[in-house]
């Protein structure tokens, strides 16, 4: 399984505090059947320039790669991306492509924690047409829980975007029924742990996958796995091929 959302890079954001914690998170992820982790540190356009962020990410990634040296066979592979906080004008950002998930046309976008304006949803939907990049909406579950809007995914229906849900969505008693029904309807395309550390927000994909398997059988997990493989492509028409 691919973990499409993680804060695994050491000392770059509110995720892993240091190299030791990152390696511990990788070991735990391996035990959760994760073969590939996408490192998606937070990027806030109002706090730093893309160039500075990319420099910091490169250093942190290098440090992790060096720390993983000799253990590659037992640890998940790590590729870089970013969790880009939505801002007005994101669709015109010239360096957006530098933040995509390596080897894919996907950019992980964190929508506003407040109620989404029509304008924000519209701009999200315009990213693909303007740039050829496909927004992957980070942790749709977080917004559903914050906004108490169970039909939030419907606002994105028909737009050229993919949706990522966190493992915890399927493990949360209050929301798991909704999580399973969204998964069953194909409204969740990719999964992530959004792991931040080894204590409060640990890698947790395995119990989520088990819960999905118990409730819905193998098919949805196979679909998510297939989606994960498909996005690693140069085909600019991937989105049409996949979902539209
Ligand atoms: Fe995150």
């Amino acid at each position: 399984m691919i973990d499409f959302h993680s804060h695994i890079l050491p000392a770059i954001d509110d995720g892993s505090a240091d190299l030791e914690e990152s390696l511990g998170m990788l070991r735990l992820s391996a035990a959760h059947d994760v073969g590939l982790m996408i490192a998606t540190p937070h990027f806030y356009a109002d706090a730093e320039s893309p160039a500075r962020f990319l420099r910091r990410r490169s250093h942190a990634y290098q440090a992790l790669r060096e720390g993983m040296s000799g253990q590659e066979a037992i640890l998940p592979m790590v590729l870089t991306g970013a969790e880009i906080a939505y801002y007005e004008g994101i669709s015109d950002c010239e360096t957006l492509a530098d933040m995509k998930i390596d080897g894919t046309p996907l950019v992980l976008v964190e929508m506003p924690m407040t109620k989404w304006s029509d304008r924000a949803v519209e701009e999200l939907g315009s990213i693909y047409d303007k740039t050829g990049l496909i927004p992957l909406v980070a942790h749709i579950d977080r917004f559903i829980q914050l906004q108490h809007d169970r039909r939030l995914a419907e606002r994105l229906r028909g737009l050229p975007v993919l949706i990522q849900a966190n493992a915890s969505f399927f493990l949360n008693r209050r929301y798991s029924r909704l999580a399973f029904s969204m998964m069953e309807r194909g409204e969740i395309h990719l999964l992530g742990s959004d792991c931040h550390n080894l204590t409060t927000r640990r890698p947790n994909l395995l119990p989520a996958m088990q819960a999905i398997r118990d409730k819905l059988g193998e098919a949805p997990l196979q679909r998510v796995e297939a989606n994960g493989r498909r996005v690693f492509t140069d085909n600019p028409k991937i989105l049409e091929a996949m979902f539209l």
Side-chain angles (χ1 to χ4, degrees):
M1 181 58 78
I2 303 172
D3 186 342
F4 272 90
H5 186 160
S6 77
H7 298 270
I8 192 92
L9 292 187
I12 187 171
D13 60 5
D14 59 344
S16 166
D18 51 31
L19 180 59
E20 198 182 328
E21 187 160 43
S22 294
L23 293 172
M25 290 162 76
L26 280 174
R27 280 192 289 273
L28 186 54
S29 297
H32 279 244
D33 277 349
V34 172
L36 170 60
M37 294 200 79
I38 312 299
T40 52
H42 290 287
F43 170 68
Y44 300 105
D46 58 354
E48 70 179 330
S49 68
R52 181 171 183 272
F53 168 77
L54 291 168
R55 241 183 352 259
R56 290 196 307 117
R57 189 186 67 175
S58 168
H59 288 148
Y61 184 55
Q62 200 53 42
L64 182 60
R65 293 293 298 267
E66 282 168 22
M68 291 168 69
S69 175
Q71 304 176 70
E72 289 88 348
I74 55 164
L75 295 178
M77 188 178 162
V78 180
L79 292 176
T80 51
E83 181 174 9
I84 309 162
Y86 171 85
Y87 61 97
E88 210 176 302
I90 186 173
S91 60
D92 295 317
C93 173
E94 285 173 7
T95 47
L96 200 58
D98 294 330
M99 298 194 199
K100 68 183 185 176
I101 294 172
D102 196 16
T104 79
L106 267 53
V107 281
L108 185 68
V109 177
E110 181 179 41
M111 289 297 280
M113 291 297 169
T114 50
K115 195 165 167 29
W116 303 348
S117 66
D118 290 343
R119 191 169 167 159
V121 172
E122 201 176 298
E123 183 168 21
L124 183 76
S126 74
I127 289 177
Y128 181 60
D129 286 339
K130 284 185 177 175
T131 67
L133 297 167
I134 302 168
L136 172 61
V137 177
H139 47 53
I140 187 76
D141 42 295
R142 178 83 66 83
F143 307 111
I144 291 171
Q145 290 172 44
L146 274 175
Q147 299 178 28
H148 307 289
D149 183 353
R150 291 173 176 260
R151 311 185 82 94
L152 210 49
E154 288 180 12
R155 291 190 72 189
L156 303 175
R157 193 173 291 162
L159 294 180
V161 305
L162 299 180
I163 294 179
Q164 178 258 317
N166 281 358
S168 56
F169 195 22
F170 301 90
L171 303 171
N172 179 320
R173 268 214 213 138
R174 194 159 161 209
Y175 287 97
S176 60
R177 187 191 288 218
L178 175 64
F180 294 128
S181 70
M182 284 178 67
M183 179 59 92
E184 202 168 24
R185 289 196 298 269
E187 289 176 351
I188 294 167
H189 305 115
L190 297 166
L191 296 175
S193 66
D194 199 4
C195 59
H196 277 64
N197 50 46
L198 279 170
T199 51
T200 52
R201 297 179 71 179
R202 293 155 59 90
N204 61 348
L205 272 178
L206 197 61
M209 289 194 287
Q210 193 55 52
I212 294 167
R213 192 175 288 119
D214 290 348
K215 191 80 182 172
L216 305 172
E218 270 316 314
L221 290 174
Q222 288 171 349
R223 185 172 44 75
V224 167
E225 288 234 31
N227 289 343
R229 282 193 299 273
R230 277 174 170 157
V231 297
F232 286 90
T233 177
D234 287 332
N235 178 1
K237 296 287 179 199
I238 180 65
L239 199 64
E240 282 91 333
M242 284 172 78
F243 303 110
L244 297 181

